[in-house]
Every structure is written in structure tokens, then in C-alpha cells.
Amino acid sequence: MPQKMNRSYGVTGNPQYEAPPFTDFASVTPDTPLDKLNLNWREKDLPERQRTKHVHKLHPYLGKFVPQLVEIFLRKYRPRRVCDPFCGSGTTLVEANCLGIESVGCDICEFNCLLTKVKVARYDFHLLRREIIKVLGQLHEACDSPLFGSQRRDVSAQVSPYLRTWYAPEALQQLLLFRDIISSTHYAPVFQVILSRAARSARLTTHYELDFPKAPITEPYYCYKHRRICQPIKQALTFLVRYTWDTYDRLMEYQRLRTDAPTTVIYGDARNVRFPPVDLVITSPPYVGLIDYHEQHRYAYELLGLPVHEHLEIGSASQGQSQAAIQKYLDDMTSAFQNVLRSLKSGGRLVVIIHDSRNLYDEIAKRLGLRVEYRLRRHVNRRTGRRSTDFFEDVIVWQV
Ligand SMILES: C[S@@+](CC[C@H](N)C(=O)[O-])C[C@H]1O[C@@H](n2cnc3c(N)ncnc32)[C@H](O)[C@@H]1O
């Protein structure tokens, strides 16, 4: 059980395992006392298929927050316009749109912005379907052609060392072919996300290291995930086809729930982007030295030729967790929130969801002169793969 936290401010909540977990999200109103809710969902309370409903599973992304948590705070504070300065894969923007709330998000990783834009865009589904059928038809035709295998050597010679190292020749050739075919489509960004998702699955990595691949695998290996001998991936075609239709279905499902509320995605640095006026901020900032956000989608950057600004990532894993890195993180985060505060109306709130194991966020609030209205520690039951350790997340509400 987690320790009771020091109550030096406002309402502090800790995991309340006694009460039943709260799952009636639509019942939240501005009067709902959030500190009384048990948000320590176990897998059976909030199963993966609900956490990854519709577009939330368009593409893997390490470091997402739970959409239902965002929904609770959007319903509680009912903003006219919400901002997520570290919008990542777009969870806040997707949820805001479903509730008819205008939103603006920013991220320093171009791929994350592409993914968010694809999630929240409007589509002519007849046109999208026609394009899918045409693209997959061309793909199958080219892959079935006797010429296809003979061109393999030329293809490998023309790509970056990363692509040459992490893909079997046939898989690489199929990915590059798909990239060529989609370049002239109207919905190219949708196909780029599909390409990236297939590229992630088709890497020469083990099934249990998809998040953090160590070294290319070219021989059969014992798979800890499937508990049997697995083979290295040789082709990408099945992933391309499967993910294309899965993407179509997910976009369609979201289409039925979405509203016309405007959504703006800005590719930029949260420390200096100019946000429009907002009355609520909901965000989960990067942690100190945990994830390299460009690197986690390296295959997408390599295949799509997207710009890379790794040095502008706050708290990236490559900067480590030294005292100097922590001090830099504190300064960078303070400056990012200072920038957001320029757009936040007086009395507005910032909801920050973070694993604040070093208690840095009280210091940040102090530097910014913000009142800590509410702080609770939530038990996150780790869900997938070998990362099955206990994990706690802090939900902090600051008021201007
Ligand atoms: C914890 S993730 C956010 C995940 C998001 N809540 C979601 O559900 O997808 C933090 C994000 O901050 C972004 N980031 C890091 N440094 C940044 C900066 N200087 N400006 C804007 N975004 C930055 C990372 O690229 C990453 O996508």
C-alpha cells in the first residue's frame, strides 16, 4: 500500500481501495467531488479495449494517459477551450472533441502531431474506402509480380543503415513500395500512420521487446511473450493490410462519436509556442530521463523523412537522470508552464498527470506562484508485456 502523503495543501487524495472503482464517467459534473472517487482501476474495471477504444489505438505510443481520466476532468471543469502543451498521441484533443470542447495541442515530435491530426481529422469515408481498395490492389499486384523479388537488392542499397539493419529485405521492399503507392493519395497522412504501424511490427525485433528493441534478431528465438520459439519477421504485407482496415474501422467508429468542435495541433516547443486563450490545461508532461520520444518512433522518421528535433525534447532518456538533468528538467518545465500560463484565463486550472516520484511538481508550482488545489496519487496497475511492476501516478490540479 502506498504511504499517506503529507497534507500541506488543499485536498490530498490517496488510493482509496475500499470504495468501488469509479467507472460511470458520463455522470461527472462540475459538482462531483473528485477526491472522493476511487480512480485505481484494475484491468477488470477498465479493460484495455476501453482504454484503447476507437482512435486511441491507431498507433502504439509509449507514455499515453488513460482517456477516461481526461474525460473526468473535462466533464468536471467544462472548459470552452482546453490546451495540452505536451499532446503526444492526442488523447486530450480526441476526448475534448467527443464532448464538444474546442482544443489546442502542441508537441515537439512531428510524428506525434501527424498521429494526432489523423485521429481528429474529418473524412469522406467513401473516398477513403476507394483509396484503400486502390492502394491495396496496387500493393498486391506489385508484390505478386515476378519482378518484385529481383529488385530487392537494389532497394536495400538505397536506404539508410537503420532501415537496412532493422528489416528483412522482403519486409523493407514492401514498406517502401507502400510508401511510393500512397504518396499521391488524398489521405496520405492516414496511410503514413498505417505504414508506420506496420513498420513497427515488421522490425527484426523480438515480440517482447517491441517498445525497446535491443538488437536485430535474425534467428529463431525463445519468446517470453508467447512462451514458445518465434521466428524473426520476414515480411510486412500482412501488417499493412490488417492495419489498413483496422485504421478504417477505428476512424469510422470515432466519426460516430465526434463533434464539430475545432481542434488545433501545433508542431513546436511548449516553451515558446503561442497558444490561443484557454480556460483549462490538461497534460501529462514527459518524465525525467525515461523515454526518448523521437526514438520510440524512429522507423517512422526514417521512412517518412520527418524532421527530428531530439535536442528540444524535455527530460529525454538520453539526457539521463543526473542531478544536472533534474535541474534542467525543472527549469524547462517551469518555462513551458510559464508559457502556457500566458494563455490561461485568470482562475483557470491546470491538471497535470505525472509520476512525480521526485516531488518536483511542488517546486514547479512554487516557482510559478500557483495554488495546489488538489493532489492525489493513483495506483496504475501495469498492464502489458514484461513491464508488470506497480506504478503510481500523481494527479495534480493547480489554480491560477
Ligand atoms: C507523456 S507524453 C504525453 C502523452 C499524451 N498525454 C498522450 O496521451 O498521448 C509527453 C510528450 O511531451 C512531448 N515533448 C517533450 N518535450 C517537448 C517540448 N519541448 N515541447 C512540446 N512537447 C514536448 C513528447 O514528445 C511527448 O509526446
Side-chain angles (χ1 to χ4, degrees), residues 148 152 155-157 159-160 163-178 202 234-236 303:
F148 191 62
R152 202 155 291 154
V155 166
S156 286
V159 298
S160 68
L163 293 177
R164 243 192 332 270
T165 310
W166 283 96
Y167 294 95
E170 187 179 359
L172 179 60
Q173 196 184 7
Q174 290 163 341
L175 293 169
L176 296 176
L177 175 64
F178 189 81
K234 294 208 166 60
Q235 57 86 33
L303 278 167

Side-chain angles (χ1 to χ4, degrees), residues 53-212:
K53 59 187 175 177
H54 52 77
V55 292
H56 291 301
K57 200 181 177 178
L58 224 49
H59 192 287
Y61 175 98
L62 212 59
K64 255 196 262 238
F65 51 21
V66 177
Q68 287 79 5
L69 200 54
V70 177
E71 180 185 345
I72 289 174
F73 285 95
L74 287 171
R75 288 186 185 275
K76 166 82 182 170
Y77 295 119
R78 254 349 280 189
R80 303 244 314 261
R81 191 190 281 131
V82 65
C83 170
D84 187 344
F86 301 103
C87 73
S89 64
T91 311
T92 304
L93 281 62
V94 167
E95 288 303 305
N97 178 281
C98 283
L99 296 174
I101 296 167
E102 185 171 346
S103 62
V104 55
C106 150
D107 205 282
I108 198 64
C109 295
E110 171 86 84
F111 178 74
N112 299 348
C113 294
L114 168 75
L115 178 56
T116 302
K117 283 182 194 160
V118 165
K119 288 180 179 180
V120 297
R122 277 219 169 268
Y123 297 98
D124 169 346
F125 282 90
H126 292 294
L127 175 58
L128 180 57
R129 195 177 172 84
R130 277 205 305 278
E131 286 209 317
I132 286 178
I133 291 170
K134 197 167 160 202
V135 164
L136 294 184
Q138 288 178 9
L139 182 68
H140 281 299
E141 197 183 324
C143 289
D144 290 345
S145 144
L147 271 179
F148 191 62
S150 63
Q151 292 163 346
R152 202 155 291 154
R153 197 184 304 241
D154 302 343
V155 166
S156 286
Q158 289 160 18
V159 298
S160 68
Y162 174 91
L163 293 177
R164 243 192 332 270
T165 310
W166 283 96
Y167 294 95
E170 187 179 359
L172 179 60
Q173 196 184 7
Q174 290 163 341
L175 293 169
L176 296 176
L177 175 64
F178 189 81
R179 184 181 70 178
D180 285 351
I181 295 173
I182 66 175
S183 61
S184 54
T185 54
H186 179 74
Y187 288 128
V190 175
F191 290 109
Q192 287 174 340
V193 168
I194 296 166
L195 172 65
S196 171
R197 187 172 166 197
R200 180 181 186 274
S201 297
R203 285 169 303 168
L204 285 172
T205 182
T206 61
H207 293 134
Y208 57 89
E209 287 172 328
L210 279 163
D211 287 341
F212 299 104

Side-chain angles (χ1 to χ4, degrees), residues 60-63 107-109 111-112 203 210-213 286-299 301 308-321:
Y61 175 98
L62 212 59
D107 205 282
I108 198 64
C109 295
F111 178 74
N112 299 348
R203 285 169 303 168
L210 279 163
D211 287 341
F212 299 104
Y287 298 178
V288 186
L290 207 63
I291 298 177
D292 287 317
Y293 283 95
H294 284 84
E295 185 59 30
Q296 75 157 294
H297 298 126
R298 172 85 182 266
Y299 44 87
Y301 289 89
V308 174
H309 290 297
E310 278 164 331
H311 62 290
L312 295 177
E313 268 183 46
I314 300 177
S316 61
S318 61
Q319 290 174 36
Q321 300 187 332

Side-chain angles (χ1 to χ4, degrees), residues 360-372 396 398:
L360 302 178
Y361 277 74
D362 280 351
E363 167 67 17
I364 295 174
K366 206 159 103 195
R367 289 184 182 191
L368 296 168
L370 294 170
R371 188 173 78 82
V372 184
I396 306 167
W398 288 332

